[in-house]
Amino acid sequence: MSSASPVTRAALRAKLLPSVAAPPVEWRVAPGLTAYTQAVAEMQALAEAIADGKANERVWLVEHAPLYTAGTSAKAADLLDARFPVHDTGRGGQFTYHGPGQRVAYVMLDLKRRRPDVRAYVAALEGWLIDALARLGVESDTREDRVGVWVERPDKPRGLDEARAEDKIAAIGVRLRRWATFHGVALNVAPDLTHFSGIVPCGIAEAHYGVTSLRDLGFSTTMSDVDAALREAFEARFGATSG
């Protein structure tokens, strides 16, 4: 008897609508740059309140000043040049960069109301980003052996094994407490891509796997355009928003 095939992330990419009547997810857009330590403190407090049934769910869109964050799997050797502040954080994943021109979406949801399944939640976040990028004219997808959302780059050299070149356009790192989520996703709109050279992003060092942005791909998309696409795609996958 053959063993069952492993479930792919794409197969898990279902909607995570609330299973019971619930208020709309609060949708907040922060002006200017948000201090990272402030964002973490607010996320943690809200996640605790959501887990206790004392607060509504929220998506919080921010930008940060240049910084690096180290996830729970980060390796010291992957911090190549600490030119910006480095923050240890409890989210999953390795090193990543945040900075102006990158849309960070912190997602605080109650998975008890939706589906208490971490893999399904991460797959839903990936699907949300893929759907939003499609609305902006960008074809993207995930890879079973790599985290994040990727785009093919036929204009770049292939790998030594003739593997096609691909660039990451969005990163994902999450944390849960009592099935309340926090941290979230980061989509590269028009950041300074040279800032990523201070780290090995997400531990992926192969030369034919890089980092890109909407601007790098030739799009003149504004942050407001991105926010509108994110909200529309979020509502289709996670339900109504307010604010």
Side-chain angles (χ1 to χ4, degrees), residues 57-142:
E57 298 174 307
R58 181 180 302 170
V59 172
W60 185 22
L61 304 185
V62 306
E63 287 180 84
H64 293 303
L67 59 94
Y68 299 125
T69 66
T72 54
S73 301
K75 302 172 184 176
D78 287 344
L79 180 60
L80 306 178
D81 178 8
R83 71 187 79 167
F84 303 122
V86 180
H87 297 267
D88 289 322
T89 181
R91 62 158 175 80
Q94 303 189 43
F95 278 105
T96 194
Y97 165 78
H98 295 315
Q102 181 191 69
R103 176 52 87 205
V104 177
Y106 292 127
V107 184
M108 285 74 76
L109 300 178
D110 184 357
L111 294 190
K112 296 190 302 293
R113 305 178 191 174
R114 298 169 180 276
R115 180 179 174 183
D117 182 323
V118 177
R119 287 191 68 203
Y121 172 59
V122 172
L125 292 179
E126 292 170 337
W128 170 35
L129 289 166
I130 291 167
D131 293 347
L133 285 164
R135 285 167 165 79
L136 297 168
V138 178
E139 183 177 346
S140 62
D141 210 337
T142 56

Side-chain angles (χ1 to χ4, degrees), residues 43-228:
M43 280 192 292
Q44 290 176 339
L46 184 59
E48 289 288 346
I50 289 172
D52 289 335
K54 297 177 180 178
N56 292 337
E57 298 174 307
R58 181 180 302 170
V59 172
W60 185 22
L61 304 185
V62 306
E63 287 180 84
H64 293 303
L67 59 94
Y68 299 125
T69 66
T72 54
S73 301
K75 302 172 184 176
D78 287 344
L79 180 60
L80 306 178
D81 178 8
R83 71 187 79 167
F84 303 122
V86 180
H87 297 267
D88 289 322
T89 181
R91 62 158 175 80
Q94 303 189 43
F95 278 105
T96 194
Y97 165 78
H98 295 315
Q102 181 191 69
R103 176 52 87 205
V104 177
Y106 292 127
V107 184
M108 285 74 76
L109 300 178
D110 184 357
L111 294 190
K112 296 190 302 293
R113 305 178 191 174
R114 298 169 180 276
R115 180 179 174 183
D117 182 323
V118 177
R119 287 191 68 203
Y121 172 59
V122 172
L125 292 179
E126 292 170 337
W128 170 35
L129 289 166
I130 291 167
D131 293 347
L133 285 164
R135 285 167 165 79
L136 297 168
V138 178
E139 183 177 346
S140 62
D141 210 337
T142 56
R143 300 291 179 258
E144 289 301 313
D145 60 337
R146 284 172 269 136
V147 297
V149 175
W150 296 78
V151 297
E152 295 184 11
R153 298 303 303 266
D155 54 315
K156 291 188 173 184
R158 287 176 171 262
L160 295 177
D161 59 355
E162 289 301 308
R164 61 192 176 192
E166 297 184 335
D167 285 344
K168 178 185 281 190
I169 194 168
I172 297 172
V174 303
R175 189 174 182 183
L176 282 74
R177 285 183 180 170
R178 293 183 290 152
W179 295 111
T181 71
F182 55 116
H183 292 282
V185 306
L187 174 59
N188 295 330
V189 182
D192 185 338
L193 294 179
T194 66
H195 291 178
F196 284 89
S197 64
I199 57 173
V200 178
C202 299
I204 299 171
E206 290 90 340
H208 60 294
Y209 296 147
V211 180
T212 191
S213 67
L214 290 168
R215 181 170 64 186
D216 183 53
L217 293 173
F219 293 86
S220 57
T221 315
T222 67
M223 196 65 78
S224 294
D225 295 334
V226 170
D227 291 350

